[in-house]
Amino acid sequence: MERRRFLGTAAAVAAAGAAGVGALVLSEDGSPTAGPGSRPGGAAADPIAAGRTAGAPDAEQAERQRPGNADWRIRSQGPPEAVEGYTDRISVLPGESFTLHVSTTAPGFTVSAYRVGWYGGAQARLVWRSAPQPGRRQDPARWTGATRTAYAAWTPSLTVRTEGWPPGAYLLRLDGSHGHQRYVPMVLRSASARGRTVLMHGVATWQAYNLWGGANLYQGRDGGYGSRSLVVSFDRPYDNSGAEKFMVYERALVVLAERLGLPLAYTTGLEVHRQPDALDGARAVLSLGHDEYWTPRQRAAVTRARDTGTNLAFLGANACFRRIRWQAGDRQIACYKSDFRDDPAYATDRAEVTTDFRAAPGADPESSLTGVYYESNPVDARYTVHTADHWLFAGTGVRTGDTFAHLVGVEYDRVTPGVPTPRPIEILAHSPLVCNGVHSHSDSAYYTVPGGAGVFASGTMRWVEGLMAGTHDDWGAHGMDARTGAMVTRATSNLLTAFAEGPAAHGRPAPRDNVAAVYG
């Protein structure tokens, strides 16, 4: 066991900084440090080793030790119509099938299914590859006029069976025979969350921002807000690379969570909405970097999990902000926003009206769950540590007042006195900023509830992006550097390891309410 701990830590540290997640802070003897001023009861000195003794089943550990395939990245995206596709199901259980609908200008294509993980730094493993398939150019987008909904009514291309695929986050890469490529994301969800850390993928947010066909929930074909879609469909490809929101706001967290060796479960916001017991027995639930669109049922399920001892982490900003409705067999989401009076639910069930959670009718600000309150965008600011002796920062080497350039953005949250906020709550980072000419702050915060659960909110949408900062996978990541990547990686490792142990209030110091000291 000691040898395995050493090898796991050594491999992780050696690979960090070159493979998409930052390096740990090391002491002179090569072990991860506890950091200055860490409070008693802090995270284990070695988050990698701690995770690997957390009880992940042998099959799960065996999967993580398989060799990866570093060729998973797209080499040539080509023009939008080169090759693109979508699935008839948002997620499946291992062993279930799904159908791919593909359009391409190439004579043929293949599909490769890569499971995202650490895999010794390769960050993905090839699980399956199709035989060559005949290519065809399918019809352009169709429209539903009243709701300005773009969709693709494409002929099915092939059915994919997932026997032998482990649960996880997958990138299906479409390779046209002309050399161009696109992704199609797929989640193979876990049968149970019990005893596990749940990665809750924000599929509704992926679709809300999808501009395929010319419109999304923010703009219409003329680029204006007034012509935006009121309902968006999953029966269409995602724009750009085909998996942009997953790649930017979720992938790095998946890689780190797998690298830590924790028992994990994979699901989506849709499944949490569908199944009231989807989170039963979970040790923690992770809301990833951009997770804006929720139903009231999803929110109720996450709140119930918190109140029964499941830790929560909001690793972005603007989470649980928009109230949506799944419809059309869960292939569409409706969000009327400021036109909520036009929502059919306005006349029948105002609790289901699709607008902001904090807005009437049925106002229920997100802060009562997340602890922080969304304020504005766009912003680019330094992240400023306020409570350096908190266990979150153990081993990072940070001191109060230390800053990390560009880590706050593009949207931010703060602890806001005067709105519903759980107490006591501790502000861990308090970052001054100016957004649209207004001086304010972004806050990272932590609170606990009587059932023992701990809740952390990063207060910045760039937290998950920060895991890649300073590496070859950061795509420039707003100018964040390797020092930022190391801090975010270590802090997130501390968080996930602590939360995987069970209700955080039972093993970590209680939050020290400092709202009055910070905000007066």
Side-chain angles (χ1 to χ4, degrees):
M1 177 63 72
E2 289 303 316
R3 181 175 182 273
R4 188 170 73 173
R5 287 183 183 178
F6 171 77
L7 291 175
T9 302
V13 171
V21 285
L24 300 176
V25 177
L26 303 181
S27 65
E28 292 181 357
D29 67 0
S31 62
T33 67
S38 297
R39 284 153 60 183
D46 179 358
I48 306 296
R52 288 185 174 160
T53 59
D58 290 343
E60 197 169 348
Q61 296 290 16
E63 169 62 29
R64 291 165 176 165
Q65 292 166 10
R66 290 176 181 268
N69 301 87
D71 66 346
W72 59 270
R73 295 170 178 83
I74 285 176
R75 298 181 303 276
S76 173
Q77 189 168 298
E81 69 279 3
V83 59
E84 50 190 350
Y86 63 93
T87 58
D88 68 335
R89 301 180 68 181
I90 293 167
S91 71
V92 296
L93 290 168
E96 294 182 337
S97 299
F98 61 88
T99 298
L100 263 169
H101 303 251
V102 177
S103 176
T104 180
T105 57
F109 68 94
T110 59
V111 185
S112 302
Y114 291 92
R115 183 182 184 273
V116 176
W118 174 239
Y119 296 111
Q123 301 186 47
R125 180 176 78 84
L126 178 65
V127 173
W128 171 84
R129 178 167 285 157
S130 75
Q133 304 293 314
R136 59 173 294 190
R137 180 76 182 272
Q138 305 228 37
D139 293 339
R142 298 185 182 181
W143 285 84
T144 300
T147 57
R148 302 185 289 273
T149 303
Y151 66 98
W154 288 354
T155 300
S157 301
L158 73 160
T159 296
V160 180
R161 301 170 63 86
T162 66
E163 283 86 357
W165 296 23
Y170 284 76
L171 290 168
L172 309 174
R173 197 183 68 202
L174 308 178
D175 287 75
S177 56
H178 51 22
H180 299 313
Q181 303 164 312
R182 283 291 195 293
Y183 292 127
V184 179
M186 169 57 66
V187 176
L188 259 69
R189 63 184 188 273
S190 305
S192 172
R194 190 164 298 279
R196 293 176 172 271
T197 294
V198 179
L199 285 76
M200 184 173 63
H201 295 281
V203 294
T205 302
W206 300 354
Q207 197 59 253
Y209 285 85
N210 181 15
L211 264 174
W212 189 91
N216 60 18
L217 292 178
Y218 293 84
Q219 66 183 73
R221 286 182 285 186
D222 63 1
Y225 176 78
S227 60
R228 74 195 184 283
S229 298
L230 302 174
V231 174
V232 289
S233 173
F234 281 83
D235 290 323
R236 58 176 182 159
Y238 292 104
D239 57 359
N240 297 317
S241 71
E244 183 181 25
K245 288 291 181 282
F246 170 79
M247 292 291 287
V248 173
Y249 294 112
E250 302 190 5
R251 184 186 67 84
L253 193 282
V254 173
V255 171
L256 178 61
E258 290 268 338
R259 171 189 168 200
L260 288 170
L262 306 173
L264 300 178
Y266 289 86
T267 193
T268 71
L270 171 59
E271 291 306 320
V272 176
H273 160 82
R274 279 175 169 170
Q275 300 179 17
D277 61 350
L279 303 177
D280 282 4
R283 295 287 181 89
V285 176
L286 309 182
S287 166
L288 305 180
H290 196 179
D291 192 15
E292 181 177 350
Y293 288 78
W294 294 37
T295 66
R297 286 181 61 186
Q298 179 187 354
R299 178 171 174 172
V302 173
T303 301
R304 183 168 57 252
R306 177 199 66 179
D307 293 345
T308 55
T310 297
N311 303 304
L312 306 180
F314 296 93
L315 300 175
N318 193 218
C320 192
F321 185 73
R322 309 280 191 189
R323 186 191 295 120
I324 62 170
R325 180 174 58 256
W326 289 92
Q327 57 188 41
D330 295 334
R331 295 299 292 172
Q332 296 178 350
I333 55 173
C335 192
Y336 282 69
K337 299 185 182 179
S338 55
D339 292 320
F340 64 87
R341 290 180 180 84
D342 295 331
D343 187 336
Y346 189 74
T348 58
D349 185 357
R350 294 196 177 183
E352 295 292 320
V353 169
T354 57
T355 186
D356 301 345
F357 272 103
R358 63 177 64 173
D364 185 11
E366 72 280 4
S367 53
S368 64
L369 175 64
T370 65
V372 292
Y373 192 76
Y374 172 66
E375 193 160 87
S376 190
N377 78 91
V379 72
D380 180 277
R382 292 179 173 273
Y383 183 88
T384 304
V385 175
H386 183 76
T387 311
D389 65 346
H390 193 272
W391 58 263
L392 179 80
F393 296 120
T396 63
V398 302
R399 301 183 182 277
T400 296
D402 282 356
T403 64
F404 296 85
H406 310 296
L407 182 54
V408 175
V410 59
E411 299 188 271
Y412 69 94
D413 302 333
R414 54 169 281 187
V415 173
T416 304
V419 303
T421 304
R423 305 292 286 269
I425 188 167
E426 186 169 6
I427 295 170
L428 311 182
H430 186 57
S431 307
L433 56 85
V434 179
C435 185
N436 296 316
V438 176
H439 290 260
S440 189
H441 291 83
S442 164
D443 294 328
S444 293
Y446 174 73
Y447 76 89
T448 57
V449 296
V455 180
F456 169 77
S458 71
T460 170
M461 196 173 281
R462 290 183 183 161
W463 187 268
V464 173
E465 288 184 272
L467 294 170
M468 298 183 290
T471 76
H472 72 265
D473 263 341
D474 69 359
W475 299 292
H478 318 289
M480 292 185 287
D481 59 15
R483 172 176 168 271
T484 297
M487 186 280 289
V488 176
T489 296
R490 182 57 194 260
T492 308
S493 299
N494 291 342
L495 180 76
L496 300 191
T497 302
F499 277 13
E501 294 171 0
H506 298 168
R508 296 295 186 276
R512 304 169 294 191
D513 196 301
N514 58 358
V515 177
V518 172
Y519 280 108

